[in-house]
Amino acid sequence: MNSIQPALRRVARVAVPALALALPLAHAVAQTLPAAFKPTVLHKFGGENKGGAKPAVPPVLATDGRLYGHTFLGASPSAGAFWGQGTVYGLDTTGANHRFELLGSIYQGSTPLVPTADGGFLVSGNGAVPPGGNFWETAAVVFSIKDGKAVALPAPNFKPLGSMALDTAGNLYMGSGESASACSVSTTANILWRMNADRSYSKVVDFCQYEQQQGNKQLHPKGGAPVASVWSSKDQALYVLTGVSADGVVDSALTTDYQGRSVGTLVKLSKAAIEEGVTGKGSLDASKVELLHTFMRARDGEPTAKGQRIVGMVEVGEWLYGTTQFNAPTAGNTMDNRYGGTIWRVKKSDPKSFAVVHYFRGSDTLAKDGTAQADGSAPSGPLVLAADGNIYGTTATDGSTMNTPKSGLATPYGAGTLYRIKVGAAADHADDNYEVLHRFDMGSEGGTLTGLSAGAVAGGVQKLYGAANVGGDGQPVTTTTTAPGNGTIFSIDVPLPIAAFSQALTASVTTAAVGSTIELSWATSQASSCSASGAWSGAQQTSASKVPVVLAAEGENSYTLTCSSQNDGQPVSSKVSVQATSVTKPDTGTGNTGNSGNSGSSNGGGGGPLSVLLLAPLAVLAWARRRTSQPSQN
């Protein structure tokens, strides 16, 4: 039995590291399975008079644990309007039965919700239709949603569109997003506005000042209406995506027709430039507006907020990622929605790094990426940088085939997709990878998706939340004529890397004497902290080599290291044991002191090698004296 135990310990020392290495691999494989990203429907909208319909943006999780959002159609019809006004809602995400609550009215809410430092949200749109009035009598407002209430704040006389951004001082940046309006037609469409922390308004940049006439209809590359903004706390700067009229500057290097014209820009405004623009009431020297990229429609896609389309933009470390609509025209210079848009990236410090990550095939077999099955069309709504370091988004349609009602022919349509950009490890991010994770079912899950928002991390999983604009009533949908249902709210579970031992806890020896110093080594991945227990104690590093430890007790000394996960997963532990033996003392002799007649018994006093050397000459001398003292026998 004693000979078996060391063998078992040797097997364990080999098996535990192998298992620890296998766990992250198994987890990584599990994350790629499409089934892991199947949405859970949290709420189905009932329609007008029944809680509202057609959510245009994803709900956002508040600090109180509830989701908040708004719909295009309302809980009740409004007199004199063509359709009922929208609603602001709250949704309890705890428990099996999610409590839905109407918070107030909003007419055509147009922007995603922006979280504020006090736990509330800001959202822009038009106010409620006046009693007995008509929809054109509504006024633009910004709604503050907090403590279960929606309060309207006054706004300039324009309807904000696209995505807004909040800086660290509480200033909200917005634009009208009316990218089809020329500067000579609209006085507000091309202005970047700021709602200051005190609720007053300031013009930051009037992009019309950068217009240059070249012929009869050409715009300077910096012109355009803000359609999406991102505030970078790290850079203390605002990144603004603009859209311009599609009859913009012609890039002769591409083509001289419609598809080669500039349709938007990406610009950077430093904090100092913003303050200078506010002081100048929107007038800012062009040198202070840093141009990062000019979008050409066929090459890059079109940034837009027309028709309440919402393009996404998200900061990923030193990079920006975003989406566009459309990316090619048809003959005759007309807009063709069959072409699916793009996902792009650019390193903020290097405009030349701009690249298209993915061209969506949309519903046309001639689109650029040439996949056998269409992978989505019209990327829609906000993007999310999840806790796993990847980017998640949705499309409004996909390439699933449905029957056209008049001809009976199958045509690509579909409810939309959930997709992921796996952010690359290369310095230029050239190894980014696009993946379709789920194709929505119009009947059971809803369709025409509106983007995503980030939820909490718990148990090694992050929740993402989204909304479908139509469908979701449970009926099978096989044609493009109707999509029964008023839309849904859903959640997605994103599996996250959890803590694991990439090198199990090991000791430098298996046996040593009590009081000896041994060394322990280990390595982990995705761990936030580690603590020791057993024969040692205290906080430890997540990875360490040759940590000295003293064997304190005779017998088995067990050392355990437990590490918590960065992503709130289950803690992981590793254990190693070292056998401590008793100390063997040198033999110092135990007998009494002998007399001179004793020639050196083992019991003589002061034993040891040195004593033997001293006694040997004395024994010889004693023997010689006895010989001389004895009488002669002759």
Side-chain angles (χ1 to χ4, degrees), residues 244-334:
V244 299
S245 175
D247 57 1
V249 175
V250 174
D251 185 343
S252 59
L254 292 174
T255 177
T256 56
D257 66 13
Y258 180 69
Q259 66 178 344
R261 298 182 183 273
S262 62
V263 288
T265 62
L266 176 65
V267 300
K268 174 183 177 181
L269 296 171
S270 68
K271 185 177 180 180
I274 291 172
E275 296 305 325
E276 185 175 327
V278 168
T279 302
K281 298 182 179 181
S283 179
L284 182 63
D285 186 272
S287 64
K288 302 295 179 65
V289 182
E290 184 179 345
L291 179 63
L292 298 182
H293 188 70
T294 298
F295 287 80
M296 296 293 172
R297 183 172 183 180
R299 182 189 66 193
D300 308 320
E302 180 179 345
T304 184
K306 290 182 291 187
Q308 293 193 337
R309 296 182 179 94
I310 296 174
V311 294
M313 187 162 63
V314 65
E315 183 180 26
V316 184
E318 298 299 321
W319 294 75
L320 290 173
Y321 285 73
T323 60
T324 67
Q325 300 278 323
F326 325 118
N327 61 285
T330 58
N333 296 344
T334 59

Side-chain angles (χ1 to χ4, degrees), residues 338-370:
R338 293 181 300 167
Y339 291 86
T342 67
I343 302 172
W344 53 265
R345 67 168 179 260
V346 65
K347 192 172 185 179
K348 294 178 290 183
S349 60
D350 181 14
K352 293 182 180 180
S353 66
F354 183 93
V356 172
V357 178
H358 183 73
Y359 288 96
F360 287 93
R361 195 182 91 128
S363 60
D364 195 295
T365 57
L366 300 179
K368 280 195 170 184
D369 74 359

